[in-house]
Amino acid sequence: RVSTPFNHQAIMATAVNHKCAVCEQPALKRCQQCKSIWYCSRDHQVSDWKSHKARCKAIAADNAQADSYTIHKAEFDRIRIHYGLDKPKQAEKIATLLSNTVANEAVSAPKFAKSFGMTTQEAVVFLEWIKVGVKFKEDNAKRNGGVKF
């Protein structure tokens, strides 16, 4: 049986880049739950589980949240581009619609959807990302001494 040099090199590069959490030797196996801790053998993974268990769940939750963020951001970008919501005229229409709402009452997703010819679900995704952006700017302003955006 002949192994291709490319595969062998790729495997060796992975081992060299990752160290076992137990012995710091090159590692090819990683925790399947959090995917961030590497091991040289199953025995080392098992022996490390008691100390790794608590961190593992937290890391896995953070990874899931990051994956969710990435998926939702990609959908927001798709909607923004598909409906031309990044164009100045559309951006102005969005700003007007959002600023003309009654105090403390958000624009409804069905109304937003109808205004831009999209589905209600797309409007929900878009409006949620607008909220994320506004909160980010508000938090940033607080951290920077109350500078308004």
Side-chain angles (χ1 to χ4, degrees), residues 1-112:
R1 176 173 118 169
V2 178
S3 65
T4 61
F6 176 77
N7 286 342
H8 179 71
Q9 288 174 347
I11 290 169
M12 292 314 295
T14 299
V16 169
N17 291 331
H18 301 286
K19 302 292 181 198
C20 178
V22 175
C23 68
E24 297 188 13
Q25 293 300 310
L28 290 173
K29 301 175 184 308
R30 69 178 170 172
C31 175
Q32 289 303 300
Q33 186 169 341
C34 71
K35 300 187 182 337
S36 65
I37 305 299
W38 290 80
Y39 300 97
C40 66
S41 68
R42 173 141 174 78
D43 289 342
H44 280 183
Q45 184 176 7
V46 170
S47 71
D48 191 45
W49 179 242
K50 189 173 181 177
S51 66
H52 174 60
K53 185 177 181 179
R55 287 183 298 139
C56 181
K57 292 181 190 305
I59 293 168
D62 286 347
N63 288 345
Q65 185 175 7
D67 289 346
S68 176
Y69 172 89
T70 302
I71 290 166
H72 286 97
K73 176 67 167 92
E75 180 62 1
F76 170 79
D77 288 340
R78 184 199 65 78
I79 293 165
R80 181 180 50 79
I81 293 165
H82 180 77
Y83 294 100
L85 301 177
D86 52 349
K87 305 287 188 252
K89 192 172 183 179
Q90 292 289 65
E92 188 174 322
K93 186 177 175 182
I94 292 167
T96 300
L97 184 62
L98 295 177
S99 63
N100 286 341
T101 58
V102 179
N104 294 329
E105 185 180 315
V107 64
S108 72
K111 181 178 179 180
F112 190 89

